Every structure is written in structure tokens, then in C-alpha cells.
Amino acid sequence: MAQAGSAGRGAAGQKPAGAAPGCALWRWALGLLWLALAAAGSSRRQWPVPYKRFSFRPEPDPYCQAKYTFCPTGSPIPIMKDDDVIEVFRLQAPVWEFKYGNLLGHLKIMHDAIGFKSTLTGQNYTMEWYELFQLGNCTFPHLRPEMNAPFWCNQGAACFFEGIDDIHWKANGTLVQVATISEIPCALKNGI
């Protein structure tokens, strides 16, 4: 027997007298209408956000300080000759392997680079993406009391330098030839 004041169905399975038929349906309809209006209101925003090109490197926040010089052994990209054949190598090793060995490699957290070898001169070159403010600064955010959100010092740039550290890449990860370039693009012929 149903208690007095109960909002449940009666003994015969009927709705109480005060319940509006289709109330749940109206709630769903209003919810969908609200979602449609919310989506229409945000249609001015574009997703994904288009890439914004800069003709200059943005000024870093003074909070971000580098302990070591960025790309200290960097060198210009050499001028290639028309008859040169360039071998391209995939270089990969676990991030922070110098400190943790292969631990992050098991989680597939890797550092990649590209190696180049001129068959004409025998010279090797490496191109890597480096952080401007050291690995710890770009890997983890900083919590600053004057800011509500985490702050990142994560600017980076490509570093091109002479030589491939064969021993390092072979011992700690991957050094595999992946391509051969037999026709040098104009940008490399003239030196970038």
C-alpha cells in the first residue's frame, strides 16, 4: 500500500493525478534546444584554431632563464652539390635517457632527430628540435603565485650541427637509414 504523499505510481501502476504527461519529453526537448543555442552562439569561434605564423620569435618571459646556451655546437646547413646523394637517418632515444636510462622508453616517450650523410664528402649532420630553456623547464609547468594558470617555458627551435653521435643513438635507441635524396632541393643547393 502506498503511503500518503508518495509521488510513486499507485497500486494499479498509474501515474499520480498531479503528474504532467510527457514532462520528461519536454525536459529533453528544452535541453536539446539549449545545446543547439549554445552551439550556435559559439559558432563564431573556429576549431581547430588556425596556425598563426610569426616572422619573429616572440619575446620570452623574463621568468624563463636558460642555464646552458641553446644549440652550443650549431653550424649552418652546408651547401650541397648537384651530384651529391644524401642519406637520411631516423634517430631516436628515450627522453632523459642520460638520467633514467630506458625507463621512459618503455612508456614510448622518445626524443627524435634526423641525421644526414653526404655520400660525396662523407660528412654527417644532425638536426634536432631543442628547447630554449632546458628540458625541465619545457617538460613541466611552473606554478606562479601571480598567475591563475600553469606557466610554461616551452619555446624551442631546430638545431643543426655537424656530426651524428652514432654510439649514442645505436646504444640507447635507433639509428636507421630511412631515405636517400638524389636530387637536391633548390633551398639546400643554395644553402638555407
Side-chain angles (χ1 to χ4, degrees):
M1 179 149 93
Q3 295 180 359
S6 172
R9 293 181 182 262
Q14 297 175 352
K15 291 183 184 177
C23 188
L25 180 63
W26 279 106
R27 286 184 186 152
W28 276 101
L30 286 174
L32 290 174
L33 178 64
W34 180 83
L35 284 173
L37 290 173
S42 64
S43 65
R44 291 181 201 98
R45 288 184 264 156
Q46 184 178 0
W47 185 258
V49 177
Y51 180 75
K52 183 177 179 182
R53 295 200 176 271
F54 290 92
S55 59
F56 61 93
R57 178 170 297 283
E59 284 293 319
D61 189 290
Y63 183 84
C64 301
Q65 297 293 320
K67 195 174 193 179
Y68 306 102
T69 306
F70 166 77
C71 195
T73 60
S75 60
I77 297 175
I79 295 174
M80 308 291 179
K81 300 191 187 246
D82 288 338
D83 57 343
D84 201 354
V85 175
I86 307 296
E87 296 173 346
V88 182
F89 296 89
R90 173 180 173 233
L91 311 173
Q92 187 178 54
V95 169
W96 286 17
E97 50 78 23
F98 60 89
K99 190 169 187 173
Y100 300 114
N102 196 29
L103 176 67
L104 295 176
H106 292 298
L107 301 172
K108 306 291 187 223
I109 301 173
M110 308 297 276
H111 174 74
D112 295 283
I114 301 173
F116 301 97
K117 178 183 178 188
S118 165
T119 57
L120 193 63
T121 64
Q123 289 182 297
N124 294 328
Y125 297 91
T126 301
M127 184 173 68
E128 295 184 76
W129 181 261
Y130 271 110
E131 58 285 340
L132 295 180
F133 306 110
Q134 273 70 65
L135 191 57
N137 270 332
C138 78
T139 305
F140 304 106
H142 299 276
L143 301 176
R144 295 168 62 179
E146 70 274 11
M147 300 181 94
N148 291 332
F151 177 78
W152 295 84
C153 294
N154 60 357
Q155 285 189 23
C159 178
F160 191 87
F161 55 92
E162 196 169 336
I164 296 176
D165 188 354
D166 295 25
I167 296 169
H168 166 77
W169 294 107
K170 283 180 185 175
N172 298 298
T174 305
L175 189 151
V176 177
Q177 183 176 346
V178 293
T180 302
I181 302 172
S182 57
E183 187 171 319
I184 308 301
C186 292
L188 292 178
K189 285 182 190 177
N190 303 324
I192 295 179

Coordinates of all heavy atoms in Angstrom, one line a residue, residues 58 125 133 159:
P58 N 58.7 35.2 -30.6 CA 58.2 36.0 -29.6 C 59.1 36.2 -28.4 O 59.9 35.3 -28.1 CB 57.0 35.2 -29.1 CG 56.7 34.3 -30.3 CD 58.0 34.0 -30.9
Y125 N 75.5 15.1 -40.5 CA 74.9 16.3 -39.8 C 73.7 15.8 -39.1 O 73.0 14.8 -39.5 CB 74.5 17.4 -40.8 CG 75.6 18.0 -41.5 CD1 76.1 17.4 -42.7 CD2 76.3 19.1 -41.0 CE1 77.1 18.0 -43.4 CE2 77.4 19.6 -41.7 CZ 77.8 19.1 -42.9 OH 78.9 19.6 -43.5
F133 N 64.9 26.7 -23.1 CA 65.2 26.9 -21.6 C 65.4 25.6 -20.9 O 65.0 25.4 -19.8 CB 64.0 27.6 -21.1 CG 63.7 28.9 -21.8 CD1 62.5 29.0 -22.6 CD2 64.5 30.0 -21.8 CE1 62.3 30.2 -23.3 CE2 64.3 31.1 -22.5 CZ 63.1 31.2 -23.2
C159 N 67.9 22.8 -34.2 CA 69.4 23.0 -34.1 C 70.0 22.0 -35.1 O 69.7 20.8 -35.1 CB 69.8 22.6 -32.6 SG 71.6 22.7 -32.4

